[in-house]
Amino acid sequence: MIKRIEQLERLNKELLHENDDLLDFAWTGNLGRWYLDFTTGNVVFNPLKIKVLGYEMSEIPFPTPYSFFTDALHPDDHKSTMQAMLDAMFQIKPVYECEYRIKTKDGQYRWYYDRGTITQRDKDGKALFAAGIVFDVTDKKNDEFLLKEENRSLSIEAYTDPLT
């Protein structure tokens, strides 16, 4: 019970320090804020991310372990995503920032841009709590892929003599 109270106090402390205006991001793909309590390994997040992944909140464990998301990372993105979090935890970098893919309920992958920071540390500097924001950038990534393919095709055409 004491651990649960401490967890809620850390979350409450974070929420009290935020300004509601800061949460109103108008950028496309905004899925809202997330909060990670390192002492429990649990994450609190905007339910919109779950909906975009194809789930209902009733299908998600509560409390939700961080591993619910990390276990669904694309294998090619797992190492870099975990390294970004470790770099923030151990103060190698001031923020956690990365793009990664997560498997949806139907087995597809969606792209996300995630940015956060360690907001609470203990007296020894150990990370206790992190907060951030996540964006669905799947459409942007798909557009980038199509442009690269089109550029590749145009490059081949530009260097190929159509008569030979």
Side-chain angles (χ1 to χ4, degrees), residues 71-90:
D71 289 351
L73 286 169
H74 190 283
D76 293 343
D77 303 332
H78 192 274
K79 184 177 179 181
S80 61
T81 303
M82 295 293 89
Q83 189 62 54
M85 182 57 79
L86 288 171
D87 288 350
M89 288 174 65
F90 293 104

Side-chain angles (χ1 to χ4, degrees), residues 1-47:
M1 182 66 111
I2 291 173
K3 285 186 178 195
R4 179 70 174 143
I5 291 170
E6 289 171 346
Q7 176 188 6
L8 291 172
E9 285 176 343
R10 281 188 294 278
L11 178 59
N12 191 43
K13 180 179 178 182
E14 196 62 38
L15 293 172
L16 288 173
H17 281 92
E18 288 183 351
N19 181 335
D20 288 341
D21 293 339
L22 295 177
L23 300 178
D24 189 21
F25 293 101
W27 302 306
T28 303
N30 178 15
L31 297 180
R33 302 282 293 181
W34 55 261
Y35 306 94
L36 172 58
D37 188 324
F38 292 105
T39 66
T40 64
N42 294 328
V43 63
V44 175
F45 51 89
N46 186 316

Side-chain angles (χ1 to χ4, degrees), residues 14-158:
E14 196 62 38
L15 293 172
L16 288 173
H17 281 92
E18 288 183 351
N19 181 335
D20 288 341
D21 293 339
L22 295 177
L23 300 178
D24 189 21
F25 293 101
W27 302 306
T28 303
N30 178 15
L31 297 180
R33 302 282 293 181
W34 55 261
Y35 306 94
L36 172 58
D37 188 324
F38 292 105
T39 66
T40 64
N42 294 328
V43 63
V44 175
F45 51 89
N46 186 316
L48 187 54
K49 184 171 185 178
I50 293 301
K51 187 173 184 173
V52 170
L53 289 171
Y55 294 96
E56 297 294 327
M57 285 302 291
S58 60
E59 299 175 276
I60 306 303
F62 182 82
T64 307
Y66 183 52
S67 62
F68 175 83
F69 295 105
T70 59
D71 289 351
L73 286 169
H74 190 283
D76 293 343
D77 303 332
H78 192 274
K79 184 177 179 181
S80 61
T81 303
M82 295 293 89
Q83 189 62 54
M85 182 57 79
L86 288 171
D87 288 350
M89 288 174 65
F90 293 104
Q91 302 180 50
I92 296 167
K93 293 191 178 174
V95 296
Y96 161 75
E97 182 174 24
C98 58
E99 287 185 340
Y100 56 85
R101 291 163 285 183
I102 290 186
K103 188 183 285 188
T104 63
K105 184 178 176 179
D106 66 4
Q108 302 297 311
Y109 281 94
R110 294 195 67 82
W111 278 97
Y112 295 95
Y113 168 73
D114 213 337
R115 183 175 170 93
T117 189
I118 307 304
T119 58
Q120 297 177 43
R121 295 182 181 276
D122 69 10
K123 61 180 173 52
D124 298 320
K126 181 180 175 186
L128 296 175
F129 205 86
I133 190 164
V134 62
F135 296 88
D136 183 335
V137 294
T138 303
D139 291 341
K140 176 183 170 255
K141 291 301 245 181
N142 288 340
D143 289 347
E144 286 175 10
F145 176 77
L146 291 174
L147 282 173
K148 284 180 185 177
E149 287 298 306
E150 188 174 323
N151 284 339
R152 187 184 63 77
S153 177
L154 289 171
S155 179
I156 290 170
E157 283 183 42

